Amino acid sequence: MNGRMVDLAIVGGGLAGGLIALALHRKRPDLRLALLERGETLGGNHRWSWFDSDLSAEGRALLKPIRKVEWDKGYEVEFPRYRRTLSTPYRSLASADYHAGLMRLLPPDAIRLKTAVARLDAEGVTCEGGERIPARAVIDCRDFEPGEHLSGGWQIFLGRHMRTAEPHGLERPVIMDASVDQVAPAGNGGAYRFVYVLPLGADELFIEDTYYADDPQLDRSALSSRIDQYCRRHGWAGELIGHETGILPVVTGGNFAAYLDAGREPGVARAGVRGGFWHPLTSYTLPTAVENALAIAAEADLTGHHLAAFCDARARRHWRQTGFYRQLGRMLFQAAEPHRRVNIFERFYTLSGSLIERFYAARSTFLDRLRILVGKPPVPIGRAISALAASGKPLIRK
């Protein structure tokens, strides 16, 4: 059974796929789109956050119609010996609001939920039920697939969304509270740990226990207990609204060309994390997802093979431009003893606010990089280069 011909078929209704569909429809409402998602909702069960300085004016305009939580008074960080409030506005988007926004903004016939895909090729998509959807171009936005070609560690987290019995009194997000014990779950191999807190309302909090670890092991019970302990420490009690978990790659090196070749379907474009678009150290994906969506919308008339080449070229350029952050990741995982990893982030947050903004946006200047690498007292250059050259472990989930 064959479906109607579409201009672009987008496989995967997560962050990258949905934003590409939105950008295309916003710029070219004449195009026939198919956004295929195997789940019951777009975006799954996630929360995406970003700094306002991460996005261009056009990027902000793309997200403007979708409900989000915004904090214009900045954010806080806390470490064992240091606490700071930074002025950069912060934003956060829940997947439920993302789903509702896309369902409202995209043509109803463009969205196909509960649609599993069996095969992709340059001329269309074959669904598991046998339906064929022919397309001028196909974009693969499915989840990241770990493999032997990339190396590094992992960012692991469990988040809890709760309604507090009393107003919590928190005015700003706490992006990184690393004053907590730097203890990894048993068998993890060492970690850098922090707690992330978003005040979503006067009596509503999102609390996430996060750690950078050598191995991709998520111990739900241990993380839930640590969130309980953190809430007791701050006097927060209330009812559970929801939760989410994640195991995100922190890529420190590897053969990116081989990674692209290993998952390549000739003539099929790739975007999102499957296409190699992420911040190597923070694992933030929304800024690159927005940039890619706008770039693809500007090239909406490309045929499948040309669009695939366009996206691959962007991915290779992104890999080259983010090499510095992979170097920092190697320093974090290989050069630093687990219990000393907190010192790296603590010193980083003593630097200027504008430098920190550029870091999160993956736009660090040459002088920024020198200031990040060389501490007070200075780290010997030879030792720093040796540490940065260290390689990680293959990203193969066990």
Side-chain angles (χ1 to χ4, degrees):
M1 175 180 177
N2 288 339
R4 68 186 182 104
M5 175 77 178
V6 299
D7 292 294
L8 289 104
I10 303 164
V11 181
L15 182 67
L19 290 180
I20 290 170
L22 180 61
L24 284 165
H25 181 64
R26 183 168 172 264
K27 191 173 183 67
R28 292 284 304 277
D30 58 302
L31 294 178
R32 295 164 297 175
L33 305 176
L35 177 60
L36 311 175
E37 167 56 41
R38 69 179 303 148
E40 297 183 355
T41 61
L42 299 171
N45 179 32
H46 295 287
R47 177 169 289 279
W48 302 281
S49 300
W50 67 99
F51 299 92
D52 188 60
S53 53
D54 290 343
L55 300 183
S56 64
E58 191 178 3
R60 296 186 194 101
L62 180 67
L63 294 176
K64 186 176 180 179
I66 302 178
R67 182 182 180 274
K68 64 190 78 65
V69 187
E70 302 178 314
W71 298 273
D72 290 329
K73 295 183 179 180
Y75 65 98
E76 299 178 2
V77 294
E78 186 170 354
F79 295 91
R81 298 182 299 273
Y82 181 74
R83 182 170 187 168
R84 183 179 181 183
T85 299
L86 293 100
S87 61
T88 308
Y90 197 65
R91 315 294 187 220
S92 188
L93 170 62
S95 54
D97 293 324
Y98 177 74
H99 170 82
L102 292 183
M103 294 297 291
R104 173 173 49 86
L105 295 166
L106 293 176
D109 61 351
I111 300 172
R112 296 276 302 270
L113 300 174
K114 296 188 284 188
T115 303
V117 170
R119 187 170 63 86
L120 296 72
D121 58 63
E123 297 179 349
V125 175
T126 303
C127 302
E128 284 190 354
E131 180 185 3
R132 176 71 177 173
I133 302 174
R136 170 170 54 80
V138 176
I139 308 174
D140 188 355
C141 295
R142 291 174 295 179
D143 291 339
F144 172 77
E145 289 191 331
E148 61 183 355
H149 301 297
L150 301 180
S151 58
W154 303 89
Q155 184 186 131
I156 302 170
F157 62 86
L158 183 147
R160 178 184 299 174
H161 186 185
M162 64 181 291
R163 181 168 289 113
T164 56
E166 303 287 341
H168 50 71
L170 195 62
E171 183 179 11
R172 300 178 183 87
V174 181
I175 300 303
M176 196 172 282
D177 182 352
S179 65
V180 295
D181 293 338
Q182 295 296 306
V183 178
N188 184 272
Y192 163 61
R193 178 193 170 210
F194 63 92
V195 177
Y196 172 78
V197 187
L198 299 179
L200 301 177
D203 62 349
E204 198 173 330
L205 290 171
F206 180 78
I207 306 166
E208 186 176 277
D209 197 287
T210 301
Y211 55 96
Y212 284 78
D214 300 316
D215 299 306
Q217 299 177 26
L218 192 157
D219 187 332
R220 291 172 182 262
S221 177
L223 268 64
S224 183
S225 296
R226 297 198 307 199
I227 292 176
D228 288 340
Q229 183 181 20
Y230 191 83
C231 288
R232 287 193 296 269
R233 170 181 155 187
H234 289 272
W236 299 330
E239 63 174 314
L240 177 68
I241 298 175
H243 70 276
E244 67 173 90
T245 61
I247 303 175
L248 306 177
V250 181
V251 176
T252 63
N255 185 335
F256 188 64
Y259 168 77
L260 290 179
D261 288 341
R264 189 184 309 281
E265 292 289 345
V268 174
R270 282 171 295 180
V273 291
R274 180 166 289 227
F277 297 99
W278 59 75
H279 192 299
L281 189 56
T282 68
S283 298
Y284 277 38
T285 57
L286 186 136
T288 52
V290 168
E291 289 177 6
N292 272 341
L294 296 173
I296 289 171
E299 302 291 342
D301 290 321
L302 291 177
T303 59
H305 285 279
H306 288 97
L307 185 60
F310 174 77
C311 290
D312 266 17
R314 286 183 60 82
R316 290 192 295 270
R317 183 165 62 251
H318 179 72
W319 177 266
R320 292 192 301 270
Q321 291 174 344
T322 55
F324 170 68
Y325 308 103
R326 291 191 296 278
Q327 291 178 338
L328 293 181
R330 290 196 291 272
M331 176 180 285
L332 177 68
F333 283 104
Q334 298 296 319
E337 298 174 39
H339 69 282
R340 296 185 185 277
R341 291 174 183 175
V342 65
N343 299 335
I344 295 174
F345 287 91
E346 186 173 56
R347 195 195 74 81
F348 169 75
Y349 270 104
T350 65
L351 301 173
S352 75
S354 57
L355 179 150
I356 293 169
E357 286 183 354
R358 290 189 293 272
F359 171 87
Y360 276 104
R363 294 193 293 263
S364 298
T365 67
F366 177 74
L367 288 179
D368 288 344
R369 299 177 186 193
L370 284 179
R371 292 186 179 107
I372 291 170
L373 288 175
V374 181
K376 296 180 180 180
V379 175
I381 296 298
R383 188 192 310 166
I385 292 173
S386 296
L388 296 176
S391 59
K393 294 186 292 186
L395 283 176
I396 302 176
R397 189 166 302 177
K398 300 174 182 177

